[in-house]
Amino acid sequence: MRTPAVPGGALSLPSLRKNTTVHVTLMSPRARTRSARAVAAVGAGGLLLSGCGTGSTVSSGNYTTASLRAKLPKAVRAAGVLKIGSNLNYAPVDFKDQNSTPAGIDPELAAAIGGYLGLRVQFVDMPFDKLIPAVQAKQIDLAMSAVIDTQQRQNGTDDNGRRSNPGVDFIDYLITGTSILVKAGNPLGIGSLDDICGHTVAVQRGTIQDEIAQRQTAACQKTSKGLRIDELDADGQALAEVASGAAAADLNDYPVAAYNTQSGNGGGQFQLTGGQLEPGPYGITLNKADSALRDVLAKALDQLIHDGDYGKILTKWNVSPGAVQGAVVNGGL
């Protein structure tokens, strides 16, 4: 799910904007397929604090820039840059500011991680559903774009357990859940997924929210109230449908849903309802063959957490309750 709003600016609806591929370089400041299961919900007022999976935790310690850089793959070290895929219209996680420069939680964390490694970070804007294939094809070094770490994505399997792609590895860095966003005043009285039966729900194609909506169709059929799903290229298009009344609700990640209720970011048009659904971690997404790069990035993230710079970035973007205690590889369920 994505939205192109920028801090302090009016909500911009991307039905008027294309997902073009751009290359933007940032200098470091220092140098969504899940298996069907029970829906977990938490209060709508905050993010999630609990851990998620059984992945390996990176041992804490003091890593110097020199020691980490020495462990980088030679090709990355020689290039001096990390090429990062992202769908840059999902404020406050990743978006473009007024100067078309990557901004938000992911770009700032990426730049800080790059600082420990003496690397620049270069963001490549691309559609969300192209990110994992691009990682697998090694068109980019990694993806950072609010990609939820799940075992299905790790294993490259579908809901029936059939392997459909090589899978990817994750380094988990923020915990979140899915929220239901409705028109201000909640005219249809929606408070849960069951309440969207008989209506239209808008989602971004290829996301965890798309999968949640697809599974909800079976529950709605049992009540003889069908559910229509509008799968869209960007979350801003989903917001536009809710604002116009074409859709009863939009499903997206809590940080983004909450952001779009704030003054200046569409505040007054939308509100949250119900609790968060299916908590899970955002993960830095890497090719499974790039285990050396994965391990170095995990140690750099762990150092960022222990030094306090990680916490400062999360505080700036009002997502501190979703902080992880340390870097975890493949911790998603």
Side-chain angles (χ1 to χ4, degrees):
M1 308 282 289
R2 299 292 184 266
T3 173
V6 296
L11 179 67
S12 173
L13 300 177
S15 56
L16 303 178
R17 172 181 172 181
K18 297 180 180 179
N19 269 327
T20 54
T21 300
V22 298
H23 299 263
V24 184
T25 299
L26 289 180
M27 288 300 296
S28 163
R30 294 188 53 149
R32 239 150 214 210
T33 307
R34 177 173 293 181
S35 60
R37 57 183 177 273
V39 174
V42 299
L47 287 173
L48 306 168
L49 292 170
S50 60
C52 287
T54 57
S56 59
T57 302
V58 176
S59 298
S60 61
N62 292 317
Y63 309 106
T64 65
T65 293
S67 65
L68 284 178
R69 186 175 174 82
K71 296 178 183 297
L72 284 168
K74 291 182 179 179
V76 174
R77 191 166 62 246
V81 63
L82 285 173
K83 192 175 180 181
I84 303 174
S86 189
N87 186 216
L88 295 170
N89 60 350
Y90 200 44
V93 184
D94 31 38
F95 61 100
K96 296 176 189 174
D97 65 15
Q98 293 89 338
N99 299 316
S100 295
T101 299
I105 300 166
D106 284 349
E108 291 192 16
L109 285 174
I113 290 170
Y116 283 112
L117 304 175
L119 298 173
R120 293 179 295 113
V121 294
Q122 181 187 64
F123 273 80
V124 182
D125 190 11
M126 61 177 62
F128 182 80
D129 60 356
K130 303 298 182 186
L131 291 171
I132 287 179
V135 167
Q136 292 168 334
K138 294 200 171 186
Q139 297 168 350
I140 51 179
D141 294 316
L142 56 101
M144 284 187 75
S145 193
V147 183
I148 299 289
D149 173 8
T150 70
Q151 289 186 3
Q152 281 185 259
R153 283 176 169 161
Q154 294 169 27
N155 299 328
T157 55
D158 60 22
D159 281 344
N160 296 314
R162 292 188 294 262
R163 190 178 179 106
S164 59
N165 65 75
V168 288
D169 279 343
F170 292 98
I171 305 167
D172 301 337
Y173 63 95
L174 185 72
I175 308 300
T176 186
T178 289
S179 291
I180 304 173
L181 196 71
V182 297
K183 203 169 186 176
N186 197 4
L188 298 176
I190 292 172
S192 68
L193 283 179
D194 288 341
D195 293 335
I196 65 175
C197 293
H199 300 290
T200 296
V201 63
V203 297
Q204 185 180 9
R205 186 179 294 105
T207 60
I208 290 296
Q209 288 77 28
D210 190 359
E211 295 161 21
I212 290 174
Q214 296 291 345
R215 292 198 297 273
Q216 182 62 22
T217 57
C220 290
Q221 287 173 355
K222 293 178 181 179
T223 66
S224 299
K225 296 180 180 179
L227 174 64
R228 172 180 170 143
I229 303 172
D230 281 354
E231 297 176 295
L232 303 160
D233 291 332
D235 183 56
Q237 294 170 327
L239 291 172
E241 288 205 351
V242 174
S244 70
D250 168 27
L251 303 182
N252 58 20
D253 293 340
Y254 172 82
V256 179
Y259 182 86
N260 283 313
T261 65
Q262 296 171 5
S263 176
N265 305 319
Q269 295 188 72
F270 310 108
Q271 72 178 64
L272 297 179
T273 186
Q276 290 184 55
L277 313 169
E278 299 202 7
Y282 287 165
I284 300 171
T285 312
L286 296 106
N287 190 296
K288 282 190 171 293
D290 292 336
S291 58
L293 176 60
R294 179 201 67 198
D295 293 346
V296 171
L297 292 176
K299 289 177 180 178
L301 172 62
D302 198 57
Q303 190 66 41
L304 194 70
I305 292 169
H306 286 86
D307 282 359
D309 292 342
Y310 167 84
K312 291 177 183 177
I313 292 171
L314 267 56
T315 296
K316 173 182 175 179
W317 294 103
N318 298 313
V319 293
S320 295
V324 296
Q325 300 302 307
V328 174
V329 174
N330 293 331
L333 296 174

